[in-house]
């Protein structure tokens, strides 16, 4: 009898679920005034709205789970006020559309696509999101995905007037992958959001490629930043994984750690930074390994407030100043008997273990004097300064506190580049 009641109960549950499944449908939406609004108003959970090629009117608000599919041939245009697509339901997919025409209110973060808190598991995929204030605003939606979109901001606005390509607030579990983002303020801006993943994105013509603030346990990997003001600005965050990213010709810094602690920074390549390949400001307990810093004015600018950071297996190549550090402490940049490669270090390896016999010191007392007292540059060619530098090179005990690599490497470690970066570098020769 109990078994019969259980079977009956399961049958009733299945019967109750059937109507919603039967109601889901594929709906063709003509490119006519008002057609898309009517289709969304009448949509049932699970419907797929296929937009016919051509122009469709926005803005639209989606309040039931559905798929909005532009088939790579439909354009959804906003009215110039508010966001073009606003999602207020879980399990919504927006794909294959050109989305344009948002408002310009920074207060309401007008966007091409806005994901609000109910939009859990939303997918924004394969769209061309063009000429909006913000590209995609992920505002409280958990476990959303923003994949393979082209996001271009308003080129008629000054950079600081533009919005971000992807704005993220309190949206844990976000995956942003394979996007190309140009002409905004920041490519991806994170504010108070944890456990997000940003992978295999390309950033160009921006202020910051990735601007990460107050987000813990996030992953930034395999991204490419080309010609922005700063590549990856990581601030007030803990336990980030920053791996295999590329910064090429970013004007100020390639990588910046500002109060970013306990991060893993590994396998990144920074080349041609206008000021600093890596800037570390009051950032502690970070592991910085296997990176390549090349052809910057300063390889690493390391501030005195940064403590207990491990540097090993990195390559410092052809930077005008390899390390800038002003402090009294002695910092050994080697771990387990292996340090870093320095392109300006002339040394020998008599036992063939790949480690130079002589330690490497990037800075001397005169460097510190020049950094703290710029007017002293007038004395750099004087016999007294040359004698001081010579004496310190012969008697290391006279050197001030600073960075020393006691086990410098003879060869630069190999580095695997993301495909987009390898292609760019190949094209540039």
């Amino acid at each position: 009898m109990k078994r019969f009641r259980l079977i009956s109960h399961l049958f009733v549950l299945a019967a109750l679920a059937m109507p919603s499944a039967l109601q889901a449908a594929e709906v063709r939406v003509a490119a006519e005034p008002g057609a898309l609004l009517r289709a969304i108003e009448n949509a049932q959970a699970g419907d797929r709205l296929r937009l016919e090629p051509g122009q469709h009117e926005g803005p639209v608000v989606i309040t039931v789970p559905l798929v909005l599919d532009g088939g790579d041939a439909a354009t959804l245009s906003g009215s110039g006020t508010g966001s073009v697509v606003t999602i207020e339901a879980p399990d919504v997919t927006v794909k294959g559309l050109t989305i344009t025409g948002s408002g310009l209110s920074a207060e309401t973060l007008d966007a091409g696509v806005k994901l609000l808190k109910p939009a859990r598991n939303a997918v924004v995929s394969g769209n061309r999101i063009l000429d909006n204030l913000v590209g995609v605003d992920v505002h409280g939606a958990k476990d959303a995905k923003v994949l393979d979109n082209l996001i271009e901001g308003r080129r008629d606005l000054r950079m600081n007037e533009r919005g971000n390509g992807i704005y993220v607030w309190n949206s844990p579990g976000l995956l942003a992958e394979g996007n190309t983002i140009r002409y905004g303020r920041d490519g991806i801006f994170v504010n108070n959001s944890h456990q997000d993943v940003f992978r295999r994105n390309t950033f160009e013509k921006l202020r910051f490629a990735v601007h990460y603030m107050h987000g813990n346990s996030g992953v930034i990997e395999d991204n490419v930043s080309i010609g922005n003001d700063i590549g990856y600005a990581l601030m007030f965050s803990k336990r980030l994984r920053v791996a295999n990213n590329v910064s090429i010709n970013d004007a100020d810094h390639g990588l910046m750690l500002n109060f970013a602690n306990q991060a893993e920074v590994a396998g990144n390549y920074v080349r041609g930074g206008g000021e600093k390949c890596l800037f570390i400001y009051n950032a502690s307990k970070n592991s910085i390994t296997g990176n390549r810093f090349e052809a910057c004015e300063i390889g690493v600018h390391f501030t005195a407030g940064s403590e207990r950071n491990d540097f090993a297996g990195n390559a410092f190549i052809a930077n005008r100043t390899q390390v800038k550090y002003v402090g009294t402490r002695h910092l050994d940049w080697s771990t387990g008997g292996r340090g870093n490669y320095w392109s300006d270090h002339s040394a020998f390896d008599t036992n063939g273990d790949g480690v130079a016999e002589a330690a490497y010191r990037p800075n001397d007392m005169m460097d510190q004097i020049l950094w703290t007292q710029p007017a002293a540059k007038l004395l750099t060619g004087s016999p007294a300064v040359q004698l001081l530098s010579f004496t310190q090179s012969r008697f290391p005990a006279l050197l001030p506190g600073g960075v020393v690599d006691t086990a410098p490497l003879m060869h630069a470690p190999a580095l695997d580049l993301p495909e987009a970066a390898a292609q760019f570098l190949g094209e540039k020769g």
Side-chain angles (χ1 to χ4, degrees):
M1 190 66 179
K2 289 183 179 179
R3 182 180 178 186
F4 176 77
R5 283 199 297 267
L6 177 60
I7 293 174
S8 300
H9 182 63
L10 293 174
F11 178 80
V12 171
L13 289 177
L16 290 173
M18 286 178 62
S20 61
L22 292 174
Q23 289 170 3
E26 181 170 307
V27 179
R28 310 293 293 192
V29 182
E32 298 174 353
L36 178 56
L37 288 173
R38 290 192 297 271
I40 290 175
E41 288 175 359
N42 297 324
Q44 303 296 315
D47 281 359
R48 176 181 291 269
L49 306 185
R50 289 192 177 274
L51 279 61
E52 299 285 355
Q55 294 281 338
H56 296 259
E57 290 183 343
V60 297
V61 179
I62 299 174
T63 57
V64 297
L66 56 76
V67 176
L68 193 63
D69 187 350
D72 298 324
T75 296
L76 177 52
S77 299
S79 62
T81 302
S83 296
V84 183
V85 180
T86 301
I87 300 176
E88 298 182 0
D91 303 311
V92 172
T93 296
V94 176
K95 59 182 293 189
L97 280 163
T98 296
I99 300 172
T100 188
S102 81
L104 293 177
S105 172
E107 182 178 356
T108 56
L109 293 174
D110 294 346
V113 180
K114 183 182 290 288
L115 309 180
L116 297 179
K117 186 175 181 180
R120 184 165 190 149
N121 301 320
V123 178
V124 181
S125 175
N127 301 285
R128 292 165 50 84
I129 303 174
L130 310 177
D131 296 322
N132 303 286
L133 181 66
V134 177
V136 180
D137 175 20
V138 189
H139 217 84
K142 294 182 178 180
D143 300 320
K145 293 180 174 62
V146 182
L147 311 173
D148 302 317
N149 302 283
L150 171 63
I151 302 174
E152 293 187 349
R154 293 282 298 263
R155 277 177 273 183
D156 58 328
L157 302 175
R158 291 176 296 180
M159 183 173 289
N160 285 338
E161 295 173 336
R162 301 170 186 170
N164 304 307
I166 301 175
Y167 182 101
V168 184
W169 177 81
N170 192 25
S171 300
L174 170 67
L175 171 63
E177 181 171 2
N179 302 286
T180 296
I181 303 177
R182 307 185 185 114
Y183 309 120
R185 182 165 50 191
D186 297 339
I188 297 176
F189 176 75
V190 178
N191 183 16
N192 191 33
S193 190
H194 309 304
Q195 298 178 324
D196 297 324
V197 177
F198 308 115
R199 179 186 297 131
R200 213 172 44 79
N201 303 287
T202 300
F203 305 95
E204 300 177 90
K205 310 295 184 183
L206 303 159
R207 185 183 66 163
F208 300 166
V210 175
H211 189 180
Y212 204 104
M213 297 185 65
H214 304 288
N216 300 331
S217 303
V219 176
I220 304 106
E221 63 183 10
D222 297 317
N223 301 286
V224 176
S225 171
I226 301 172
N228 304 299
D229 288 350
I230 292 178
Y232 309 90
L234 314 174
M235 306 179 180
F236 307 102
S237 302
K238 296 180 180 179
R239 297 181 298 278
L240 300 179
R241 171 175 163 79
V242 186
N244 307 321
N245 302 287
V246 171
S247 164
I248 301 171
N249 297 335
D250 289 328
D252 296 332
H253 318 319
L255 272 165
M256 178 171 68
L257 304 180
N258 181 5
F259 288 91
N261 303 315
Q262 299 172 270
E264 176 191 357
V265 181
N268 302 286
Y269 179 39
V270 181
R271 193 187 80 173
E275 292 186 12
K276 304 160 188 176
C277 284
L278 171 62
F279 182 34
I280 302 178
Y281 180 82
N282 279 337
S284 301
K285 301 180 183 179
N286 298 293
S287 172
I288 301 170
T289 61
N291 306 282
R292 182 172 297 189
F293 306 115
E294 181 175 350
C296 296
E297 186 72 18
I298 298 172
V300 176
H301 185 181
F302 189 82
T303 64
S306 302
E307 300 180 349
R308 298 170 63 185
N309 294 285
D310 294 329
F311 281 81
N314 304 288
F316 297 83
I317 301 173
N319 301 295
R320 185 169 181 179
T321 298
Q322 300 281 41
V323 177
K324 179 177 180 178
Y325 171 76
V326 179
T328 58
R329 292 179 297 119
H330 290 272
L331 306 176
D332 186 355
W333 281 11
S334 64
T335 301
R338 296 187 69 81
N340 307 274
Y341 172 76
W342 308 89
S343 63
D344 58 340
H345 184 40
S346 300
F348 298 96
D349 176 16
T350 57
N351 60 7
D353 65 352
V355 177
E357 305 299 334
Y360 175 84
R361 295 177 183 270
N363 308 138
D364 61 16
M365 183 181 295
M366 199 60 209
D367 290 326
Q368 298 203 18
I369 292 172
L370 291 173
W371 292 331
T372 57
Q373 305 294 331
K377 289 182 179 179
L378 296 173
L379 304 175
T380 53
S382 69
V385 170
Q386 294 179 18
L387 178 61
L388 176 60
S389 297
F390 174 80
T391 304
Q392 289 180 119
S393 67
R394 294 297 182 269
F395 300 97
L398 299 177
L399 287 164
V403 172
V404 58
D405 188 339
T406 57
L409 303 179
M410 293 297 297
H411 304 285
L415 193 68
D416 292 328
L417 297 178
E419 182 179 346
Q423 181 179 352
F424 176 84
L425 292 170
E427 291 172 352
K428 296 296 181 180

